[in-house]
Amino acid sequence: MNTRDPQAMAAAWISQFADPASMQSWVKSVPQTGANPLADILKEAGVGIDPEVLSKLESDYMRQCSKLWQDVMTSKVPAISDKRFSTAGWQSNVFYSFNAASYLLNARFLLALADAVEAPAKTKQKIRFAVQQMIDAMSPANFLATNPDAQQKIIDSKGESLTKGVTNMLADMHKGRISLTDETAFEVGKNVATTEGAVVFENAMFQLIQYKPLTTTVHQRPLLMVPPCINKFYILDLQPENSVVRYAIEQGHTVFLVSWRNPDESMRVATWDQYIEDGAIKAIQLAQEISGQEKISVFGFCVGGTIVSTALAVLAARGENPAASLTLLTTLLDFSDTGILDVFIDEMQVNMREQKLGSGGLMPGRDLASTFSSLRPNDLVWNYVQSNYLKGEEPPPFDLLYWNSDSTNLPGPMFCWYLRNTYLENSLKVPGKLTVAGEKVDLTKINAPTFIYGSREDHIVPWTAAFASMRILNPKKAGRNRFVLGASGHIAGVINPASKKKRNYWSNDQPVADADGWLASATEHAGSWWPEWSTFLAEHAGKQVKAPSKFGSATCKPIEAAPGRYVKVRAD
C-alpha cells in the first residue's frame, strides 16, 4: 500500500472491514508485514511496543470489532458521537454508520498503539502526530464514495454540487491553497485594517503606522504594538468591532504599530539582527521621538513579543530602558515546551533548513501556512475538502480566516537563526548566551512591569509556556508581572472584544511560581480579558494630555494613509 497517497490509504483501509477475519488479518499485519502505515512509522523510528501490551491492545480491539460486527448483522445502528458523523445520513443508515464506527474504532486502536510505543518523549510525540495526521486523512467523510451527505447533495442538486466542487478544487489548485473563506468579500484597507491613521516612516524592514486619536485627551506615553512577522499585522485590526488597535485608541492611547514588510528577493539575506536593530529598536526610537516621550508602552504578540523582548534586552545592554510597561500576548521566551510544533524541530530538520536557506533565500509563506494548518487538519483542511469539493459549497466570509490565508514569507537567514537559537537550543532565556545586534542578550535586565497573556487551548504557544516568562522577566521584583489566562486558542483567545462579552478568563493576584498552582488558585471571570489589560496599561501610561492633532513629526512626515503598502503585498 502506498502510505503517501490518501486515496490509496482510504481504499485499503475501507477494504479491511468486510468481516472480522479481515480485521484480524489487518491487526496482525502491524508487527509482521509493514502493510499498515503505523508499522512503517515504527520501523523508521527504530522503536517498538512491549509484546504484552500489544497483545492486550489487539485483544481489546478484536473484542470491539466482533461486537461492532454483531451489531451490524442484527441491523443495530452503532452509536456515534463524533461531530463529523452527526447528520442523519451517517446516523440512520447501517452501512454508513458502520463505516464511521469502524473508522473511529480503528483510529482509537492506532492511537493506543502510538501511545504504547517505547520511545523518548519527543520521538513518541512525532509518532503520535504522524498517526493522527494519517487518521484524519483517512476519515470516510473525506471521500465522495463514503460520504452520504455529499452523495445526497449530488442527487438533490441534480449533479450541480459535483460540478461546482470540481470547479472549486481546480481554483484552489491554481491558488496553491484551500479556500477557507470567501476571499472576494474582503479587501485590506477597505473592510479589514480600516482604523484611520498614517504611515509616518518606512525602511526595508517595516512601515510605522500612527493612528488617529478617538479621544480629546490621551495618555502621555504612547503605545507601540509589534505584531508577528509571520503573519500580517491586521489580525490586530480586523474590523472596528473586533480591533485590538481601535480598542486601545478608544481607551485613550496614542497607538503606533509596526507593519512588517512581506519579504521578497531583496530581503533574502535579512537576519534576525536586522529585525531587532532595523525593526523593533528603530520603531521604539521613532515612537519616542514622535511622541516626545522617553518612556513608552511596548506591546508584542506571538513572535512579535519575542522580537520586542529581544530588542528591549539589547537596549538594556546599551544602558537604555525605554519601556514604561511591556505587554506580551501568547509569546515564547522560554522554548522548553513548544507544544505540537516540537514535531517539526530537531537537529536534522533545522540543519536541512540551514543548508537550504541559511545563507540566503525565502521561506515561502504557503509552506508556513501548511505547517500551521497541519496542527488542526480537521478544522483547517478536511472540513473544507468536504464542504468546498465534495459538496460544492462556497465558504462563508470570515475576516479571521481571510487573514489566516494571507500568509507572509520569511528571510532564510532570519528564519534559520530563529529555529536554532530558540526552538532547538532554547538559548534566548539564558542570560548572556546569545549576541544580537552586537550585545549580549539578558532578558532579566528588562526593567518594566509586564502583562503576560496566554490562551488556554493554544496549540502554538501552550499557556504554560507563556506563563514561563513570569520567571524570566523581573526575577528580583516580585509583583511587577501580571499573568492573565484567556479561553480558546492562539488567535481566537486574543481577538475577544470586550463589547461582545464572550468566553471567560482567569486571573490570580497571588504570587504563585508554577503554572498549575497558579490556575488551581485563580479566579474565573466571564467575558473578555481586554479590560484587565486596559487597566494595567493605564497604570503605567502616564498622565492625560491633549491628543495630538497631526501625524508624525518634523522629521517623520506622513507618507501614505494607513494601512500602507507593505501589508497589501501577498506572498502568493
Side-chain angles (χ1 to χ4, degrees):
M1 181 177 69
N2 180 2
T3 60
R4 297 182 183 274
D5 183 348
Q7 293 281 0
M9 289 168 64
W13 170 79
I14 291 169
S15 71
Q16 308 303 322
F17 302 113
D19 57 51
S22 64
M23 291 183 185
Q24 185 174 12
S25 174
W26 178 83
V27 172
K28 290 183 177 179
S29 75
V30 173
Q32 294 177 6
T33 69
N36 184 273
L38 180 59
D40 297 337
I41 296 170
L42 299 182
K43 182 177 179 181
E44 184 177 345
V47 297
I49 300 174
D50 182 279
E52 291 187 10
V53 174
L54 180 59
S55 177
K56 184 179 185 307
L57 289 174
E58 288 180 349
S59 176
D60 291 344
Y61 178 68
M62 288 308 305
R63 176 178 51 78
Q64 294 177 66
C65 284
S66 297
K67 183 180 184 305
L68 178 58
W69 185 252
Q70 290 168 8
D71 288 345
V72 172
M73 289 298 96
T74 58
S75 298
K76 181 179 179 181
V77 178
I80 305 170
S81 59
D82 192 295
K83 66 179 182 179
R84 290 172 291 179
F85 314 112
S86 61
T87 63
W90 294 100
Q91 298 280 348
S92 61
N93 184 290
V94 173
F95 171 76
Y96 291 114
S97 61
F98 171 65
N99 208 12
S102 300
Y103 161 75
L104 293 171
L105 173 58
N106 193 35
R108 290 193 297 271
F109 176 65
L110 285 171
L111 289 174
L113 287 175
D115 290 337
V117 167
E118 297 176 327
K122 189 164 185 173
T123 301
K124 194 168 182 176
Q125 184 184 36
K126 288 184 177 182
I127 291 171
R128 198 181 200 285
F129 179 79
V131 170
Q132 187 67 64
Q133 293 288 308
M134 179 184 68
I135 287 170
D136 293 340
M138 290 163 59
S139 167
N142 298 338
F143 304 97
L144 185 59
T146 52
N147 187 319
D149 295 334
Q151 294 170 12
Q152 188 63 46
K153 190 76 179 288
I154 293 175
I155 296 172
D156 294 343
S157 67
K158 296 181 173 57
E160 184 178 346
S161 66
L162 181 60
T163 302
K164 184 59 178 174
V166 172
T167 301
N168 290 344
M169 182 176 66
L170 292 174
D172 282 357
M173 289 174 65
H174 179 72
K175 287 192 296 187
R177 66 178 188 277
I178 297 174
S179 295
L180 307 182
T181 184
D182 178 5
E183 296 180 12
T184 65
F186 299 100
E187 182 181 339
V188 176
K190 183 176 180 180
N191 54 4
V192 290
T194 60
T195 301
E196 186 176 356
V199 174
V200 294
F201 172 85
E202 66 181 44
N203 64 13
M205 306 299 297
F206 74 101
Q207 288 186 321
L208 184 70
I209 299 172
Q210 180 181 359
Y211 289 98
K212 182 179 179 179
L214 293 173
T215 53
T216 55
T217 62
V218 295
H219 289 280
Q220 183 179 20
R221 295 165 177 162
L223 170 64
L224 172 66
M225 306 180 83
V226 181
C229 55
I230 291 177
N231 295 100
K232 301 288 184 68
F233 83 78
Y234 65 90
I235 187 58
L236 297 172
D237 186 33
L238 288 169
Q239 298 187 71
E241 64 269 20
N242 60 359
S243 170
V244 182
V245 170
R246 185 177 179 87
Y247 177 77
I249 298 170
E250 290 172 341
Q251 305 309 303
H253 298 279
T254 300
V255 176
F256 294 91
L257 182 143
V258 170
S259 173
W260 295 107
R261 184 178 179 185
N262 194 345
D264 56 19
E265 281 296 318
S266 68
M267 289 183 65
R268 68 190 312 274
V269 295
T271 64
W272 180 263
D273 280 24
Q274 286 177 274
Y275 272 79
I276 302 304
E277 188 75 79
D278 301 333
I281 290 178
K282 183 64 176 178
I284 289 170
Q285 293 169 341
L286 288 166
Q288 290 174 302
E289 175 194 337
I290 294 171
S291 67
Q293 296 295 311
E294 181 181 353
K295 294 280 191 178
I296 65 173
S297 301
V298 181
F299 168 111
F301 178 20
C302 189
V303 181
T306 309
I307 288 173
V308 81
S309 296
T310 305
L312 290 174
V314 169
L315 290 173
R318 296 173 181 172
E320 300 177 42
N321 180 34
S325 71
L326 174 61
T327 296
L328 298 178
L329 308 184
T330 61
T331 292
L332 287 171
L333 300 181
D334 181 345
F335 289 74
S336 300
D337 176 14
T338 57
I340 195 63
L341 279 176
D342 196 47
V343 303
F344 298 105
I345 312 294
D346 58 30
E347 180 62 43
M348 181 183 71
Q349 294 183 75
V350 173
N351 185 56
M352 178 186 69
R353 294 291 185 190
E354 289 173 335
Q355 290 183 19
K356 185 178 180 180
L357 300 172
S359 299
L362 294 177
M363 178 65 187
R366 66 179 58 187
D367 289 357
L368 290 167
S370 295
T371 297
F372 288 116
S373 292
S374 73
L375 304 181
R376 293 171 52 206
N378 285 329
D379 292 332
L380 296 177
V381 179
W382 299 114
N383 176 51
Y384 294 95
V385 167
Q386 295 161 30
S387 61
N388 297 8
Y389 309 156
L390 301 189
K391 301 177 184 177
E393 298 172 350
E394 295 288 349
F398 187 11
D399 55 4
L400 196 153
L401 289 179
Y402 175 79
W403 166 84
N404 190 71
S405 300
D406 192 2
S407 57
T408 58
N409 303 320
L410 286 178
M414 174 269 193
F415 179 61
C416 292
W417 189 99
Y418 179 58
L419 285 183
R420 175 166 293 282
N421 290 286
T422 59
Y423 277 93
L424 184 62
E425 298 182 359
N426 196 17
S427 298
L428 184 61
K429 72 170 185 177
V430 182
K433 186 173 182 179
L434 296 178
T435 298
V436 176
E439 308 291 348
K440 293 290 184 180
V441 175
D442 184 352
L443 297 175
T444 69
K445 300 297 184 183
I446 298 173
N447 183 19
T450 304
F451 182 97
I452 301 170
Y453 169 85
S455 289
R456 192 167 185 177
E457 287 85 40
D458 197 336
H459 60 291
I460 295 175
V461 179
W463 80 267
T464 52
F467 184 89
S469 297
M470 295 277 285
R471 297 188 291 270
I472 295 174
L473 301 169
N474 299 303
K476 297 180 180 179
K477 298 179 180 179
R480 295 197 88 196
N481 297 336
R482 178 167 179 76
F483 184 80
V484 169
L485 177 65
S488 197
H490 188 70
I491 299 299
V494 171
I495 310 304
N496 182 22
S499 59
K500 297 290 183 68
K501 298 181 180 179
K502 293 175 61 177
R503 305 193 183 97
N504 53 351
Y505 70 93
W506 293 261
S507 65
N508 192 338
D509 294 328
Q510 302 303 313
V512 183
D514 68 284
D516 292 336
W518 181 94
L519 183 59
S521 57
T523 300
E524 184 175 355
H525 311 271
S528 171
W529 57 271
W530 287 13
E532 291 270 350
W533 172 57
S534 178
T535 299
F536 166 86
L537 207 57
E539 289 174 355
H540 307 286
K543 63 183 181 180
Q544 291 285 321
V545 298
K546 184 180 179 181
S549 58
K550 61 181 181 178
F551 297 119
S553 65
T555 55
C556 292
K557 297 184 181 298
I559 298 171
E560 60 180 328
R565 304 185 316 281
Y566 285 12
V567 73
K568 297 180 181 180
V569 176
R570 295 189 69 96
D572 53 10

